[in-house]
């Protein structure tokens, strides 16, 4: 969560450590979409069940 967006974009574009660059394989617009997905996943892990709408909370808890 603390890493800036630029970090993820740089890693996708230039690679990092043993990870090679995806610049030739992933278009810039798609890199931004991947970044948005990463952020959505990060945020989804921080949501408390009590903050969900009732229908989603019931589904999560296994209620009909």
């Amino acid at each position: 969560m603390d890493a800036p967006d630029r970090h993820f974009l740089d890693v996708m574009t230039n690679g990092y450590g043993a990870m090679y660059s995806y610049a030739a394989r992933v278009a810039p617009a798609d890199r931004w979409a991947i970044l948005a997905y990463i952020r959505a996943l990060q945020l989804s892990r921080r949501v408390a069940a009590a903050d969900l709408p009732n229908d989603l909370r019931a589904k999560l808890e296994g209620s009909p």
Side-chain angles (χ1 to χ4, degrees):
M1 290 288 296
D2 294 333
D5 293 348
R6 185 83 238 154
H7 168 74
F8 294 103
L9 293 170
D10 284 341
V11 169
M12 287 183 267
T13 303
N14 303 312
Y16 184 82
M19 181 182 152
Y20 54 85
S21 169
Y22 279 85
R25 296 169 187 85
V26 181
D30 291 338
R31 286 180 235 155
W32 282 100
I34 292 167
L35 171 60
Y37 185 67
I38 290 169
R39 293 301 190 196
L41 289 174
Q42 289 175 329
L43 290 173
S44 72
R45 297 192 47 96
R46 292 182 174 233
V47 173
D51 294 335
L52 295 172
N54 290 335
D55 60 327
L56 292 177
R57 187 172 48 234
K59 198 174 190 180
L60 178 67
E61 294 169 348
S63 302

